Amino acid sequence: MNKELSEEAIVPEEAIVPEEVIVPEEVIVPEEAIAPEEVIVSEEVIVPEEVIVPEKAIVPEEAIVPEEAIVPEEVIVPEKENVPEKAIVSKVDFDWEAYEKGDTYGDVSREKLIETYDQSLNKINDREVVMGTVTALNKREVVINIGYKSDGVVPMNEFRYNSDLKVGDEVEVYIESQEDKKGQLILSHKKARVTRSWDKVNAALENNEIVKGYVKCRTKGGMIVDVFGIEAFLPGSQIDVKPIRDYDVFVDKTMEFKVVKINQEFKNVVVSHKALIEAELEQQKKDIIAKLEKGQVLEGIVKNITTYGVFIDLGGVDGLIHITDLSWGRVSHPEEVVKLDEKINVVILDFDDEKKRIALGLKQLTPHPWDALDENLKVGDIVKGKVVVMADYGAFIEIAPGVEGLIHVSEMSWTQHLRSAQDFMKVGDEVEAIILTLDRDERKMSLGIKQLKSDPWEKIEEKYAIGSRHTAKVRNFTNFGVFVEIEEGVEGLIHISDLSWTKKIKHPSEFTSIGSDIEVQVLEIDKENRRLSLGHKQLEENPWDVFETIFILGSIHEGTIIELLDKGAVIALPYGVEGFATPKHLVKEDGSQAQLDEKLSFKVIEFNKDSKRIILSHSRIFEDEKRAEAKKEKDAAIAAASGTEKKSVKKSKKDKKEELPAQPVMEKTTLGDISELAELKEKLEGNKE
């Protein structure tokens, strides 16, 4: 190794050199002489300014050389070194011990060397982001030079978003530590990206910049993309202008994106790849739409299928075929007519230059089925078809592809009791119907199936004569009666008053139930309005003819209170008949009121055969008994009073007859006689009353 001399030779103070030191003209240094590791010898020897080397070095007399100082016998100076033959060394300090150890630098020169070296390096601090240059890379690591005394090593997976990384590229790194335990510079590219990522993302959004991102994985509705170390969301609709069927093909790929939305509060970023190519397609759309004409037939590819229609790629611009324009017939789903990536011809129905919307049609390429309908088809003809659509009001029957007719629910049965069309048929059924109306201009047709059967009302008077008895089925209730069906299409009403002779029915549900069979008798027929008046109680004789002889006025019968009302109580009497009693007629002899389910004797105080009403009273029974007893006592008193009066009258007449021959004697009326007459008068008046 070569030796390099320091700029300044420092001689220790203790070193005293003799007055005369003669340096030989030729100094020979052994070849084996090896300088210490720390000493680097340059090709040229630089002699400090203070050291003047003449031909012969003259040292003051006082210079004493210590015993420890060992001077090599022979010194060989390199040819390139231009050193004078004689050098005079100034009186300076020199550290011979340090020289023996190989440390040829003093404290001052060392500090200057360190300062000079430090100035040649970049000044860096921990936890800051700096720019570095890639100096080497392999599959696992990337070596980065940031201008420091040592290079840093960053894992290659932190650059997986940048597949084009190469030597010489400048990248951002985050200084985690200037030196670890091994003296190694610790850098991180990922942390640097995260530190500045939000600034970059916001700047990209504001400046409409294009950024690169690494597609990490698939998620619901799209992909997760690493952009500047931030996980951004890429919606599936923003990957490409064409619908993506397999998202997995984009995983682990580096692509260009455009930041379209940032949520600062939740730190959410939305990116789009589709936005980059839409600008190019926009111009293509304008060119294509400018050439479009209504009625023009173009070839396109089925791009996407939805429940409401099909999107067709016309070569840079999309058009929509609505499901109703796919076929003249009924289509449940577009997949019944077309398939993905299928090439088809379509006709342009309409387009909007401003909204860039194009309406396409497929069925318009074929003639309308109504135009090809048999000209001989007319009203009254019987046709066959398939049920394609069901509704509450009826069913649509397809008698030919694209030709449909409606069977209204009222034309499905002769019954007046209308039900849902689902009760008669379902989608897919093959039915036979008769044409009721046919309008070729409006392309409408109405059908019926009940007309295939005879109308039961044509011979209703013969089949259901007045007074005839039949079994019917209860269909519905109303407050005023029961609707029953004798047969399909023949219905009638049983009024609530015609259900029972004896029971007071408030609602028909108290007497029967829907779906039950009931015996009826035809009372009236209204053929024009298709109505029958029926009765149930008429099946039995009117019991009120017999009740008239049993429940005569004043008769007493046992009854049970079965219902209490505000106006009175309903009493069940023998033979299934019911009566009514007001509250004042329910008072018992002890003054208490009769209660529910109590069995008592009742007197008939009113009987009305026409209105079928019996009025009863319990209190009238003991009230009449009391009146009878009082009358009996009164009659007895009157009878006794009238007997005494007769005897007094007879006696007075006899006395007068005996005294006739004698002269009459006139006597004055006394007060006692007047009082007796007054009592008699009162008795007579009482008898009259």
Side-chain angles (χ1 to χ4, degrees), residues 61-124:
E61 297 177 356
E62 298 80 12
I64 300 172
V65 180
E67 296 179 359
E68 298 77 21
I70 301 173
V71 180
E73 294 179 356
E74 297 179 353
V75 178
I76 299 176
V77 180
E79 294 178 359
K80 294 182 181 180
E81 294 182 359
N82 187 13
V83 182
E85 296 180 354
K86 295 181 180 180
I88 299 173
V89 181
S90 63
K91 187 178 179 180
V92 293
D93 296 333
F94 187 80
D95 189 353
W96 292 97
E97 292 182 359
Y99 182 78
E100 285 185 348
K101 295 179 181 179
D103 189 359
T104 60
Y105 302 101
D107 294 337
V108 177
S109 61
R110 182 181 296 279
E111 291 177 359
K112 287 185 177 181
L113 285 173
I114 293 173
E115 183 180 354
T116 304
Y117 178 70
D118 289 341
Q119 289 177 356
S120 67
L121 303 176
N122 291 334
K123 293 182 179 180
I124 62 174

Side-chain angles (χ1 to χ4, degrees), residues 17-23 56-61 63:
V17 182
E19 292 181 359
E20 295 182 6
V21 177
I22 300 172
V23 180
K56 293 184 179 180
I58 301 172
V59 183
E61 297 177 356

Side-chain angles (χ1 to χ4, degrees), residues 610-654:
D610 296 334
S611 61
K612 299 176 181 59
R613 182 176 60 192
I614 301 175
I615 305 300
L616 305 172
S617 175
H618 172 71
S619 58
R620 186 68 64 84
I621 296 175
F622 58 83
E623 287 176 356
D624 289 348
E625 289 178 355
K626 288 181 180 180
R627 289 194 187 96
E629 291 180 0
K631 184 178 181 182
K632 186 176 181 181
E633 293 177 357
K634 191 174 183 180
D635 292 343
I638 294 172
S642 61
T644 305
E645 183 180 356
K646 288 179 180 180
K647 288 181 180 180
S648 61
V649 171
K650 288 180 180 180
K651 185 177 180 181
S652 61
K653 288 181 179 181
K654 185 178 180 180

Side-chain angles (χ1 to χ4, degrees), residues 4 22 96 199 213 257 301 331 409 486 521 524 565 626:
E4 181 180 317
I22 300 172
W96 292 97
D199 295 336
F257 301 97
I301 300 175
V331 178
V409 66
I486 301 177
Q521 181 175 319
E524 295 180 5
L565 306 172
K626 288 181 180 180

Side-chain angles (χ1 to χ4, degrees), residues 574-593:
Y575 309 107
V577 69
E578 295 177 353
F580 185 79
T582 58
K584 70 177 183 178
H585 291 296
L586 295 173
V587 179
K588 294 190 286 186
E589 191 172 0
D590 58 1
S592 61
Q593 196 77 12

